[in-house]
Amino acid sequence: MIHEHVLNRKGARKSSDIPSEILDLLNRGLIESVNLIEWQAVNHQILLKHVIPSFNLEKGKMDVLLTEMANQNAFTGMKAIRTTSDLLTTVMVEENEAKRLEILTYCANHISDSVRCWAAFMNKNRQQTLEEKLSFIRHFAADHHFGVREIAWMAIREDLSEDIDKSVELLTVWAKDDNENIRRFAVESMRPRGVWTKHIEILKQEPHKALPLLDLLKADPSKYVQDSVGNWLNDASKTQANWVLTICEKWHKESEANATVKIIKKATRTIMKNNC
């Protein structure tokens, strides 16, 4: 049983201040991280050792997986998440469909946000349509944990960038969803520059391609979504400043909502800084 003081903690401000009790629970997959500092401190090699027995794999496969994980020299952060998911995907290829689904379902619903992050990257079937890939990732895009939601858009961003027009068409449906996490995903996954990920060059030069998506959210009531829309336009302003200013002027005339004012302020912050 996990004590209340653990579940209700605020989280350390630096990794060296994370109590050993908390770090141990995180590495054993018994609790979720509560902030970015904890999320980055999880040792995925140790976590995998605790999680892998639940997969009921042959001992030889388990040993190879753990050995390869150690050889990759990836223990924390994004590199460790990608490495772990890639290794698990390789193991799953050798299993039957029922076993693959069992492992994926187990990871996708694990109490540890780090394990759920692995699962978000474990859908590597190139034969799937973009619609099918989005259907898979929706579970993670709607997750209550901030880290899983970030990994969700990173996991499918490359697929989305391969067909911008089709992606925008599909994500406009998500932009109308009642769940703010889903609406935010629709924007964040298509940011021209993004964070911790490759840029989408075509959107840096032709941001108007995503306007049908952005227009739906110009007065969104959620601050989470507002920030994402503002950041999207701020990304675009670094290469297409005049276009961003035109859109912001148009939105200002169309909407008197405070949400729109906040989005415009965030969208134009780089432009304003450069003009000072």
Side-chain angles (χ1 to χ4, degrees):
M1 180 177 178
I2 308 299
H3 294 147
E4 285 295 318
H5 77 276
V6 171
L7 297 176
N8 296 327
R9 71 194 186 283
K10 294 183 181 295
R13 294 186 177 182
K14 54 183 180 179
S15 57
S16 59
D17 289 340
I18 300 175
S20 57
E21 173 195 13
I22 299 300
L23 191 57
D24 179 62
L25 290 171
L26 287 168
N27 288 338
R28 288 163 60 194
L30 298 178
I31 59 173
E32 293 185 323
S33 63
V34 297
N35 63 11
L36 183 59
I37 299 300
E38 287 190 359
W39 186 84
Q40 292 178 320
V42 173
N43 186 310
H44 290 262
Q45 183 180 8
I46 298 175
L47 180 59
L48 182 60
K49 289 180 181 178
H50 286 283
V51 171
I52 197 172
S54 300
F55 297 163
N56 296 316
L57 296 171
E58 297 175 4
K59 187 177 184 307
K61 291 183 179 180
M62 291 174 56
D63 291 343
V64 169
L65 184 56
L66 292 172
T67 298
E68 186 57 31
M69 183 68 182
N71 291 339
Q72 291 290 330
N73 195 33
F75 305 114
T76 60
M78 278 298 304
K79 182 180 179 181
I81 290 172
R82 288 180 180 273
T83 298
T84 308
S85 63
D86 286 345
L87 292 173
L88 288 173
T89 299
T90 300
V91 169
M92 287 167 58
V93 168
E94 301 173 358
E95 302 294 331
N96 60 45
E97 184 61 29
K99 186 63 175 180
R100 289 197 294 270
L101 182 59
E102 177 188 330
I103 294 173
L104 184 55
T105 301
Y106 177 83
C107 290
N109 296 285
H110 201 279
I111 189 173
S112 167
D113 56 284
S114 294
V115 176
R116 300 201 301 278
C117 285
W118 300 346
F121 271 117
M122 286 163 61
N123 190 40
K124 302 293 178 63
N125 185 351
R126 299 297 298 178
Q127 303 303 314
Q128 285 187 330
T129 65
L130 189 55
E131 290 91 337
E132 290 171 330
K133 292 176 180 178
L134 278 169
S135 178
F136 169 83
I137 212 66
R138 186 183 177 89
H139 173 85
F140 306 98
D143 198 280
H144 65 272
H145 192 276
F146 69 91
V148 179
R149 295 197 300 271
E150 293 305 298
I151 293 299
W153 66 257
M154 292 181 195
I156 197 173
R157 182 174 165 87
E158 183 176 347
D159 295 300
L160 294 172
S161 66
E162 290 177 356
D163 189 341
I164 297 299
D165 294 337
K166 180 66 173 179
S167 296
V168 170
E169 177 187 344
L170 294 173
L171 289 172
T172 52
V173 177
W174 288 44
K176 301 173 186 176
D177 199 273
D178 291 338
N179 187 328
E180 66 175 342
N181 293 335
I182 295 297
R183 300 198 305 276
R184 191 259 187 177
F185 174 94
V187 179
E188 200 69 17
S189 62
M190 298 287 284
R191 277 181 61 179
R193 292 174 181 266
V195 181
W196 295 347
T197 188
K198 291 181 180 179
H199 294 180
I200 301 179
E201 293 299 329
I202 189 172
L203 289 179
K204 289 166 64 175
Q205 304 306 323
E206 302 180 50
H208 65 272
K209 285 182 172 291
L211 190 55
L213 175 64
L214 300 171
D215 260 335
L216 291 170
L217 302 169
K218 65 176 177 287
D220 196 278
S222 166
K223 183 180 184 301
Y224 195 45
V225 179
Q226 293 166 20
D227 287 346
S228 188
V229 176
N231 286 333
W232 199 108
L233 289 170
N234 186 63
D235 280 358
S237 75
K238 295 172 183 178
T239 47
Q240 297 294 331
N242 289 337
W243 180 83
V244 171
L245 288 173
T246 298
I247 293 303
C248 288
E249 182 178 354
K250 177 174 178 289
W251 285 3
H252 180 71
K253 293 177 179 178
E254 294 175 347
S255 172
E256 297 180 354
N258 287 334
T260 306
V261 174
K262 292 176 182 178
I263 288 172
I264 291 173
K265 182 177 180 180
K266 186 172 283 289
T268 56
R269 66 184 186 273
T270 295
I271 295 173
M272 295 298 102
K273 179 180 178 181
N274 290 339
N275 289 337
C276 288

